[in-house]
Amino acid sequence: MSDVRGGLAPGTVLGGVLRIWTGARRVERVAYAVGGLLLLSGVFHLGVFAVDGGPWEGPVSWRKAVTFGLSFGLTLITIAWVGSYVPLRDRTRSIVLGVFTADCVAEVALITTQAWRRVPSHFNMETALDTTISRGLAAGGGILIATLVTLAIASFRENPEVAPSMRLAVRVGFVALMLALASGAAMIARGVVEVQTGHQQLAYHVAGALKPAHAVTMHAILVLPALAWALALTGLPEARRTRIVAIASWIYAAAAGIVIAVSVVDFATA
């Protein structure tokens, strides 16, 4: 293996994945394991949907337990892995990733609870319990933002131990992730306003307008570092790998820009 992280010697994908696990810190391994359990939760509830049926769309659906389990599981694993390339003190890393892991579990648990209760999980103030859960989800969102912003800022520190191609991929991915957090915050804020003015159904419709922008910007944090990681397995010179990651970043940004523009128009006119 190269002495620069993200600059692996050529090898197989399986070998590279195994090196990710064996080289992981304890807190990262815990996050990987918990992320795997959240993914299993999503798959399990897909089975529940197949048996129980009901609508796939709408605020009351098994879809939310499925998609949030899969999304949070994948996100947790991604952040644990990508965060390993971010320069942080061991204690800080353990705290940030530990809090992020616990918060992911809490968010999925609350959303899944509401799915089993057959009531909306977001913007639901019908009962005291619903209000508590809705506010808990909002508070959890705030914690997610705080931990991810911490990692994003740290990713721009000098870190010669990580290959330039991986540093570029991680930094662009975190910038895109910040846009995803901004769109998520906008959806929540607009939805809360609609609920407080007596338009609960409109809240779900308006919030959904930004979902495409939220999704496309969120997944750059996985796609671009995964590309840099895969390129490192090919044995290409680092300079060429960095150029490829830069080109891919511009292409991703252009595609995301189109999706964001359409979503913003839908959001503003909804």
Side-chain angles (χ1 to χ4, degrees):
M1 180 182 293
S2 168
D3 60 348
V4 178
R5 294 198 67 231
L8 302 173
T12 64
V13 172
L14 178 59
V17 172
L18 290 175
R19 286 196 290 272
I20 289 175
W21 175 261
T22 57
R25 303 168 180 87
R26 181 180 179 182
V27 68
E28 292 162 355
R29 290 184 181 180
V30 170
Y32 293 151
V34 173
L37 291 176
L38 294 180
L39 289 173
L40 288 177
S41 173
V43 172
F44 170 77
H45 283 94
L46 183 60
V48 172
F49 169 73
V51 173
D52 188 59
W56 181 252
E57 298 296 332
V60 181
S61 168
W62 289 116
R63 181 197 83 256
K64 303 199 77 171
V66 173
T67 57
F68 276 83
L70 295 176
S71 179
F72 270 91
L74 181 60
T75 298
L76 177 55
I77 292 171
T78 299
I79 293 301
W81 173 59
V82 173
S84 71
Y85 294 100
V86 174
L88 287 172
R89 294 179 179 178
D90 289 342
R91 179 176 175 80
T92 302
R93 185 186 308 279
S94 295
I95 292 174
V96 171
L97 190 53
V99 170
F100 186 78
T101 300
D103 198 31
C104 286
V105 172
E107 291 283 295
V108 174
L110 291 176
I111 288 164
T112 301
T113 295
Q114 294 298 72
W116 280 94
R117 294 182 65 229
R118 303 298 180 92
V119 296
S121 55
H122 293 83
F123 314 132
N124 185 358
M125 309 294 181
E126 292 297 320
T127 68
L129 178 58
D130 292 327
T131 300
T132 299
I133 290 177
S134 185
R135 290 176 177 173
L137 289 170
I143 294 172
L144 293 175
I145 291 173
T147 53
L148 292 174
V149 168
T150 299
L151 290 172
I153 293 173
S155 71
F156 283 87
R157 296 174 183 166
E158 290 297 325
N159 190 10
E161 295 183 359
V162 174
S165 56
M166 182 59 79
R167 289 202 304 267
L168 176 61
V170 169
R171 289 169 178 173
V172 174
F174 269 117
V175 169
L177 186 58
M178 294 303 99
L179 294 176
L181 295 179
S183 63
M187 286 190 289
I188 292 173
R190 180 77 180 273
V192 170
V193 169
E194 297 297 344
V195 169
Q196 291 180 341
T197 56
H199 304 97
Q200 185 165 350
Q201 291 304 315
L202 181 59
Y204 301 120
H205 173 70
V206 171
L210 281 181
K211 283 183 179 179
H214 184 68
V216 72
T217 49
M218 175 175 287
H219 294 299
I221 193 63
L222 172 60
V223 173
L224 296 176
L227 172 62
W229 176 82
L231 289 171
L233 296 175
T234 66
L236 289 172
E238 175 57 28
R240 182 176 295 182
R241 296 203 299 266
T242 302
R243 286 196 297 272
I244 293 174
V245 170
I247 292 171
S249 297
W250 281 110
I251 293 174
Y252 199 105
I258 294 173
V259 175
I260 291 171
V262 173
S263 295
V264 168
V265 171
D266 290 342
F267 183 72
T269 57

